[in-house]
Amino acid sequence: MAMIQLGAVFFGLGLLGRVARRAGISPIPLYLIGGLAFGHGGFVPLHGIEEFTHIASEIGVVLLLLLLGLEYSASELTTGLKKSWMAGVLDLVLNSAPGAIAAYLLGWGTVGALAMAGVTYISSSGIVAKVLGDLGRLGNRETPVVLSVLVFEDLAMAVYLPVLTAVLAGVSFIGGLTSVGISLLAITVVLVVALKYGRFISAIVDSPDHEVFLLKLLGSALLVAGIASQLQVSAAVGAFLLGIAISGSTAENATRLLEPLRDLFAAMFFVVFGLNTDPRSIPPVLGIAVALAAVTTATKVFTGWWAAKRQGIGKMGRMRAGVALVARGEFSIVIAGLAVASGQVHNDLAALATAYVLLMAILGPIAAKYVEPIGEFFQRRRQMA
Amino acid sequence: MICVNVEITPLPGIGTRQDFTIRAGRRVGVITYRDGRFELILSKATDPDSCAASIPLSPEEAGTLAGLLGAPQLVAHLREETRDIAGITTRQLPVTAFANRTLGETALRTRTSVSVVAVVRAGNAHPSPGPDFLFENGDLAVVVGTAEGLDAAAEILHGG
């Protein structure tokens, strides 16, 4: 029975992914909807595969963050940080504030506010990079600006996730500081080690044999993530740091090898998140989600506009940079997932995060596609007037 | 030679962009992906920030395009280098009479005392061809020598 259920889930996800590809949108919102349809209060409740889906979704988070780390080399991160920290800080303040304020207004307390701040702050680097590539904007002058904001966000995640993990675990202020201290120390050590001795770390996991390489990679990722989790630094951050430390051709091969696995397990993660969210809890928070979506679209557009303006980019380019950053996706769900799993936040947080990400993951790519024709239309009208 | 300022911009997680602004005001350049793919980019005339085209090229295609654009440049460069030496010039001569025969068979050096420094074929330059280099129809020989020598060589290669 478990096999049939699992098969049906994967096959269903495959069909949803196909629909997403046809429509030119990210599959993430469809996976979430798929999860909603299967789970508690959905059309077809699933039983008996919870144990597998639970561990699979945890592996999904580890792989999502590992591949994010593999994407960037340590030198890219450090130069990115130097070049774009002002835009990064503006991004952080403007986009985490709406989530935090909404959570306070809903009476979800400090823990809820911290989690919602993360949900509205972080753009989906997966969706953004895909959209920029699909629209042929990688050669544009504003694209490095967009990418450097994403780099800053990912580094901010490495500090934010341990803080969130500690707070969710309900540790004391001192305990929280310790875990932040550990993670900051770990980040610094990893960046320094990766910059100077990256090839040694790569050499430990590297192997010309695909099978050996895959097992060593997956093994080390889960080991590092597990140890990080034991140290209360969040498993995801452990995986992210390992990804940064692996560099060069090893990182490229690792990405190629792990991508299908990540897609599989991450899909599972989105489904499980949807499974655990009662679809009936979404309509009551839909209004708030729409309001948050409107506000955080405006704040992201302003962030991109401001960052691009500082690099001397024209009005159209500034608009494109701003709109490109709008999409939220996998990491908002990762954050909401951590919060919900701890049981320390209000039950509606899962519903609000789901509704919000559904909106933003669909709105982001569409807005990015149509910002140019709309902008040109207005420019022409102004010239005629 | 006039230098062109090529701007190199890292694209974190993707690769690098190398481009420059041409005299007509547009940007031309190449995106090199981490996995070795290339993309030729050209900015829009109306908006220099944005791209009118980004064309994916395989390594072979990129090499051919580079040859097509680079071969005349090579000749100009050689001409530049030998200009200061009195009486020595460089010319590109079409080879029509020696298809499927070797450079050695032309006996150019003994007959006219010029030397073939490169052969341009389908946009690719083959530098310093040896005596057993096999000509094809449509080849261009890049030849260095005296003016009289070059005239004689042109005649031989053209069907003398």
Side-chain angles (χ1 to χ4, degrees), chain B residues 21-108:
Chain B
T21 307
I22 57 173
R23 229 176 300 168
R26 297 170 82 166
R27 276 185 311 123
V28 178
V30 172
I31 296 174
T32 313
Y33 286 87
R34 285 247 182 96
D35 55 13
R37 284 177 300 136
F38 298 101
E39 215 162 80
L40 178 68
I41 56 166
L42 173 67
S43 74
K44 273 187 191 162
T46 47
D47 180 0
D49 294 332
S50 131
C51 284
S54 42
I55 304 151
L57 294 175
S58 71
E60 298 75 35
E61 290 160 350
T64 308
L65 183 64
L68 283 177
L69 292 169
Q73 197 63 33
L74 177 73
V75 175
H77 188 67
L78 283 172
R79 204 170 275 163
E80 194 87 11
E81 297 227 305
T82 49
R83 194 170 51 188
D84 295 331
I85 308 163
I88 302 286
T89 35
T90 310
R91 234 192 275 168
Q92 269 187 90
L93 303 174
V95 186
T96 49
F98 283 88
N100 296 320
R101 285 159 72 194
T102 63
L103 175 58
E105 283 176 69
T106 64
L108 270 192

Side-chain angles (χ1 to χ4, degrees), chain A residues 236-263:
Chain A
V237 167
F240 178 62
L241 293 180
L242 179 70
I244 294 173
I246 298 173
S247 59
S249 62
T250 313
E252 266 165 53
N253 294 334
T255 307
R256 218 166 298 148
L257 214 55
L258 288 176
E259 238 163 7
L261 270 185
R262 182 217 32 204
D263 293 344

Side-chain angles (χ1 to χ4, degrees), chain A residues 44-66:
Chain A
V44 200
L46 292 176
H47 295 292
I49 55 168
E50 283 93 350
E51 217 167 292
F52 172 76
T53 55
H54 179 72
I55 187 91
S57 77
E58 275 188 19
I59 295 175
V61 172
V62 166
L63 287 178
L64 271 172
L65 270 291
L66 176 68

Side-chain angles (χ1 to χ4, degrees), chain A residues 21-367:
Chain A
R21 186 165 280 273
R22 279 274 171 85
I25 56 170
S26 153
I28 295 170
L30 293 185
Y31 292 164
L32 285 172
I33 291 173
L36 285 174
F38 285 127
H40 306 295
F43 305 120
V44 200
L46 292 176
H47 295 292
I49 55 168
E50 283 93 350
E51 217 167 292
F52 172 76
T53 55
H54 179 72
I55 187 91
S57 77
E58 275 188 19
I59 295 175
V61 172
V62 166
L63 287 178
L64 271 172
L65 270 291
L66 176 68
L67 268 94
L68 182 71
L70 284 172
E71 215 164 274
Y72 304 123
S73 66
S75 61
E76 278 176 347
L77 288 176
T78 45
T79 48
L81 194 60
K82 263 181 242 156
K83 251 174 56 184
S84 69
W85 68 270
M86 272 174 82
V89 171
L90 180 80
D91 180 36
L92 175 73
V93 173
L94 280 185
N95 291 291
S96 56
I101 292 168
Y104 267 119
L105 292 180
L106 288 166
W108 292 351
T110 318
V111 182
L114 185 66
M116 279 309 294
V119 169
T120 57
Y121 162 54
I122 192 139
S123 298
S124 162
S125 56
I127 297 180
V128 173
K130 175 124 192 348
V131 163
L132 290 176
D134 287 350
L135 295 176
R137 296 216 182 126
L138 291 178
N140 285 15
R141 283 234 298 261
E142 78 275 4
T143 294
V145 177
V146 173
L147 294 175
S148 61
V149 169
L150 293 181
V151 167
F152 186 93
E153 284 187 2
D154 296 335
L155 275 176
M157 277 269 277
V159 180
Y160 168 82
L161 283 178
V163 178
L164 182 70
T165 318
V167 172
L168 288 173
V171 296
S172 62
F173 184 67
I174 302 292
L177 276 186
T178 322
S179 89
V180 173
I182 293 177
S183 70
L184 277 179
L185 191 72
I187 293 164
T188 319
V189 169
V190 165
L191 282 179
V192 170
V193 169
L195 277 174
K196 289 201 166 161
Y197 309 105
R199 57 182 192 283
F200 292 116
I201 297 174
S202 305
I204 295 174
V205 292
D206 204 357
S207 164
D209 187 78
H210 277 210
E211 204 176 326
V212 176
F213 188 34
L214 180 64
L215 289 173
K216 277 210 262 183
L217 262 177
L218 205 58
S220 53
L222 294 181
L223 272 176
V224 170
I227 292 168
S229 167
Q230 288 298 313
L231 293 172
Q232 302 258 353
V233 206
S234 140
V237 167
F240 178 62
L241 293 180
L242 179 70
I244 294 173
I246 298 173
S247 59
S249 62
T250 313
E252 266 165 53
N253 294 334
T255 307
R256 218 166 298 148
L257 214 55
L258 288 176
E259 238 163 7
L261 270 185
R262 182 217 32 204
D263 293 344
L264 179 71
F265 284 107
M268 213 58 225
F269 164 71
F270 296 124
V271 170
V272 168
F273 188 82
L275 280 176
N276 293 329
T277 311
D278 190 339
R280 284 165 299 193
S281 62
I282 288 185
V285 294
L286 199 58
I288 305 164
V290 170
L292 260 186
V295 172
T296 56
T297 298
T299 48
K300 274 286 173 189
V301 171
F302 180 80
T303 305
W305 173 279
W306 187 83
K309 190 180 177 190
R310 271 172 51 89
Q311 302 292 324
I313 284 155
K315 278 196 180 130
M316 262 321 270
R318 288 177 218 164
M319 218 39 218
R320 280 195 303 268
V323 173
L325 286 168
V326 167
R328 316 290 207 282
E330 61 277 30
F331 300 116
S332 300
I333 298 292
V334 167
I335 292 165
L338 281 175
V340 172
S342 75
Q344 295 286 317
V345 291
H346 194 278
N347 280 336
D348 281 349
L349 194 139
L352 180 58
T354 308
Y356 175 75
V357 170
L358 282 178
L359 288 170
M360 298 308 268
I362 295 174
L363 178 72
I366 293 175

